[in-house]
């Protein structure tokens, strides 16, 4: 890694994130309707241990305590999502006042702690009532989502300045509509998968336009796709070119692509290689569809956890390079590849010419309170330090990175994995709902307070910046 001194702009957004179904619980409270995840969790074998989000972190009732924790860590911003079925329990009709009011109180509690709200509209919990009408396969989903986006925006945009439409369309299309391991648990044909994805991209664009009108003041709108990052195995220009090419190619089953989703949203057309790759499975594109997808955005959110090394083959073509034996892995068995937080934002900003925000990054770990009640998670500290140093290199080289949101604030419901994977800066004892700040939360607080300077502290969890420790190798 190139030696550099970590440096982030003074207005860099240091945050942490979560999503509604993963933390809220209270699935019947105040008129909320069922979501696809409530229904999916009741399927035998769908979720590890038969676990569900029925109680999760009980954040719905404990949001004040959780906002106080955000204040203790010194977060500048908190990314959360709205549960669509709290606002439209039956999918359409009149918005549910009590649901809107919960998010209004949550936003006020955040602001009282000096934490800016960053709101995601769709983090996978579609109302089951809409799924019963075909979900994203129904072209009406564009209007359903637009109405929902407008309702939430007109209610909260006086206090919420940053908005994201969709979280990781690649994942909910792939796991929810192709392999069936996430809600709504469908195993559709490729043609149907691409139709569902086409509608979500139209819904995104239509919603952005409606939100700008409903907000009644300028707001920042982006989205949060998952970033496939192929990074060069060495920095030889041929390897860099190969990594860039494969990062932006459509060449693998499973929707693990940036361009199939982002080219329509930013450029207004599907990528040529994707059209060739999917061939006859590409849905009929009606007049006006592509134009609908691409209203201007203010930032490009990137969820990045891991990347894959690539080198240039004999004719310059990208070749995957296997990770070495004994590669560091997280508890989820995801490779630890800090390089992706340099190359991912750099490649994306170059291609799409938008400021980038890392809207998710973090790791699951095997954390538990020790006999003194402390939760020591040195792996998470080391992981985050390495990734943030890589990100700071991008910043130092002029890549327009505006912020970083650690995933996640609290341990939570990790979808089909239930409560097995702990991603939080804060440990949650699900039996008692006791929150304990992990060592990483204290460490991250220091990173935030020093504007990133403490990333070069020598010791795990160190609280002072050694004067001579300013160069990182
Ligand atoms: O927990 C998820 C989140 O909901 C979406 N992005 C990846 C995280 C870790 O798997």
């Amino acid at each position: 890694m190139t030696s550099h001194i970590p440096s982030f702009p003074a207005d860099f957004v240091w945050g942490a994130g979560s999503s509604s179904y993963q933390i809220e619980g209270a699935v019947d409270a105040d008129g909320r309707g069922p979501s696809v995840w409530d229904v999916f969790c009741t399927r035998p074998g769908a979720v590890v241990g038969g676990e569900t989000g029925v109680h999760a972190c009980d954040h719905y009732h404990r949001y004040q305590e959780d906002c106080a924790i955000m204040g203790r860590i010194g977060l500048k911003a908190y990314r959360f999502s709205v549960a669509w079925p709290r606002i439209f329990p039956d999918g359409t009709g009149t918005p549910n006042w009590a649901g809107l009011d919960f998010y209004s109180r949550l936003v006020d509690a955040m602001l009282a702690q000096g934490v800016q709200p960053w709101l995601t509209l769709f983090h996978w919990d579609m109302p089951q009532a809409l799924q019963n009408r075909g979900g994203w396969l129904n072209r009406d989903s564009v209007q359903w989502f637009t109405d929902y986006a407008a309702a939430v925006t007109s209610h909260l945009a006086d206090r919420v300045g940053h908005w994201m439409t969709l979280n990781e369309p690649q994942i909910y299309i792939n796991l929810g509509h192709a392999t069936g391991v996430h809600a709504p648990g469908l195993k559709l044909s490729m043609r149907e998968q691409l139709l569902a994805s086409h509608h979500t991209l139209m819904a995104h664009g239509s919603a952005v336009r409606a939100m700008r009108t409903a907000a009644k003041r300028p707001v920042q709108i982006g989205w949060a796709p998952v970033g496939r990052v192929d990074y060069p195995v060495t920095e030889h220009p041929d390897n860099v070119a190969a990594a860039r090419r494969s990062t932006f190619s459509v060449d693998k089953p499973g929707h693990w692509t940036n361009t199939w989703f982002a080219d329509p949203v930013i450029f207004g057309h599907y990528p040529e290689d994707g059209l060739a790759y999917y061939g006859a499975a590409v849905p009929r594109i009606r007049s006006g569809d592509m134009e609908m997808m691409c209203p201007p955005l203010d930032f490009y959110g990137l969820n990045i956890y891991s990347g894959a090394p690539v080198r240039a083959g004999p004719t310059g073509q990208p070749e995957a390079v296997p990770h070495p034996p004994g590669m560091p892995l997280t508890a989820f068995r995801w490779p630890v590849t800090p390089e992706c937080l340099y190359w991912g934002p750099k490649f994306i900003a170059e291609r799409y010419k938008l400021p980038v925000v890392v809207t998710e990054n973090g790791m699951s770990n095997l954390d538990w309170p020790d006999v003194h009640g402390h939760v020591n998670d040195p792996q998470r500290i080391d992981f985050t330090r390495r990734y943030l140093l890589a990100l700071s290199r991008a910043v130092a080289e002029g890549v327009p990175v505006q912020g970083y949101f650690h995933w996640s604030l609290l341990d939570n419901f990790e979808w089909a994995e239930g409560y097995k994977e702990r991603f939080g800066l804060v440990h949650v004892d699900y039996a008692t709902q006791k929150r304990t700040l992990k060592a990483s939360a204290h460490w991250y607080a220091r990173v935030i307070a020093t504007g990133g300077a403490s990333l070069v502290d020598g010791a795990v969890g160190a609280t002072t910046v050694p004067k001579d420790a300013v160069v990182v190798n």
Side-chain angles (χ1 to χ4, degrees):
M1 193 187 290
T2 312
S3 296
H4 67 279
I5 300 166
S7 137
F8 293 89
D11 59 355
F12 192 77
V13 182
W14 297 100
S18 72
S19 87
S20 44
Y21 192 72
Q22 292 181 273
I23 64 167
E24 285 179 359
V27 292
D28 296 323
D30 298 329
R32 178 188 180 279
S35 78
V36 291
W37 269 95
D38 294 297
V39 174
F40 184 71
C41 288
T42 64
R43 265 196 203 179
V47 177
V48 168
E51 291 162 352
T52 75
V54 167
H55 301 296
C57 307
D58 195 30
H59 172 75
Y60 192 81
H61 297 116
R62 297 168 194 262
Y63 70 94
Q64 297 272 14
E65 178 185 355
D66 294 337
C67 289
I69 288 172
M70 296 172 207
R72 267 183 80 189
I73 298 175
L75 296 184
K76 304 290 182 207
Y78 173 62
R79 176 175 178 235
F80 66 106
S81 77
V82 170
W84 191 346
R86 287 198 194 280
I87 313 304
F88 287 102
D90 303 319
T92 55
T94 310
N96 173 28
W97 171 257
L100 287 169
D101 187 52
F102 167 68
Y103 294 105
S104 190
R105 286 181 281 120
L106 172 62
V107 163
D108 286 344
M110 257 177 255
L111 290 171
Q113 297 289 337
V115 179
Q116 287 300 316
W118 285 52
L119 188 155
T120 309
L121 284 163
F122 182 62
H123 200 124
W124 308 350
D125 42 357
M126 177 182 259
Q128 181 62 34
L130 296 180
Q131 190 59 43
N132 294 345
R133 294 163 67 180
W136 291 114
L137 280 174
N138 187 333
R139 198 173 162 91
D140 290 347
S141 58
V142 176
Q143 195 56 49
W144 301 333
F145 185 66
T146 305
D147 292 344
Y148 160 60
V152 177
T153 311
S154 57
H155 198 72
L156 296 177
D158 58 333
R159 285 155 292 156
V160 176
H162 292 83
W163 296 76
M164 285 144 285
T165 53
L166 309 175
N167 186 71
E168 297 182 358
Q170 291 94 337
I171 301 297
Y172 66 78
I173 294 298
N174 189 42
L175 299 187
H177 296 77
T179 64
V181 302
H182 274 191
L186 303 176
K187 295 180 182 174
L188 302 175
S189 66
M190 181 54 87
R191 190 175 175 78
E192 291 169 311
Q193 294 165 34
L194 294 178
L195 183 65
S197 125
H198 188 69
H199 291 153
T200 67
L201 298 178
M202 289 169 62
H204 156 87
S206 169
V208 170
R209 289 189 178 86
M211 291 160 73
R212 297 225 189 264
T213 307
K216 300 195 192 71
R217 67 164 181 136
V219 289
Q220 300 285 300
I221 305 180
W223 69 328
V226 67
R228 163 182 168 180
V229 184
D230 292 339
Y231 62 86
V233 68
T234 72
E235 299 200 2
H236 187 285
D238 292 349
N239 291 336
V240 173
R244 184 184 290 108
R245 204 168 122 198
S246 67
T247 291
F248 295 122
S249 62
V250 183
D251 59 359
K252 288 186 176 64
H255 306 278
W256 192 242
T257 142
N258 292 299
T259 52
W260 186 258
F261 293 86
D263 281 15
V265 160
I266 310 294
F267 301 144
H269 57 75
Y270 284 117
E272 288 300 324
D273 67 339
L275 290 168
Y277 181 76
Y278 293 126
V282 174
R284 182 163 76 87
I285 299 169
R286 299 192 204 171
S287 161
D289 285 6
M290 301 311 296
E291 291 76 9
M292 185 185 284
M293 293 178 188
C294 58
L297 293 181
D298 302 298
F299 65 92
Y300 193 117
L302 270 175
N303 295 0
I304 299 182
Y305 290 86
S306 193
V310 159
R311 69 173 163 239
T315 59
Q317 81 283 10
E319 282 183 357
V321 178
H323 288 302
M327 178 76 186
L329 300 173
T330 70
F332 218 155
R333 320 308 280 177
W334 294 355
V336 178
T337 58
E339 301 89 330
C340 63
L341 227 52
Y342 168 71
W343 292 102
K346 178 178 164 68
F347 284 162
I348 289 287
E350 280 170 3
R351 182 179 180 92
Y352 296 119
K353 312 236 175 316
L354 278 174
V356 166
V357 177
V358 177
T359 37
E360 285 184 25
N361 169 253
M363 62 168 279
S364 69
N365 198 41
L366 304 174
D367 305 321
W368 66 87
D370 69 13
V371 288
H372 307 293
H374 302 139
V375 183
N376 292 304
D377 54 347
Q379 289 89 345
R380 182 171 289 104
I381 292 173
D382 186 62
F383 174 103
T384 311
R385 186 198 305 273
R386 288 175 187 273
Y387 275 65
L388 281 173
L389 286 171
L391 185 66
S392 80
R393 179 183 168 202
V395 171
E397 293 179 15
V399 178
V401 186
Q402 294 184 334
Y404 170 88
F405 286 78
H406 192 83
W407 185 270
S408 58
L409 178 68
L410 306 175
D411 289 340
N412 61 52
F413 177 74
E414 178 56 26
W415 309 114
E417 304 301 321
Y419 294 93
K420 180 164 76 61
E421 305 295 336
R422 291 184 178 270
F423 275 89
L425 293 165
V426 177
H427 182 272
V428 177
D429 178 330
Y430 298 111
T432 62
Q433 291 296 346
K434 182 173 192 283
R435 275 80 163 130
T436 304
L437 272 68
K438 300 179 189 177
S440 58
H442 296 290
W443 173 87
Y444 190 43
R446 175 85 184 144
V447 171
I448 297 172
T450 63
S454 67
L455 288 169
V456 294
D457 285 0
V460 164
T463 53
T464 55
V465 185
K467 289 192 177 45
D468 56 347
V470 288
V471 177
V472 186
N473 291 305

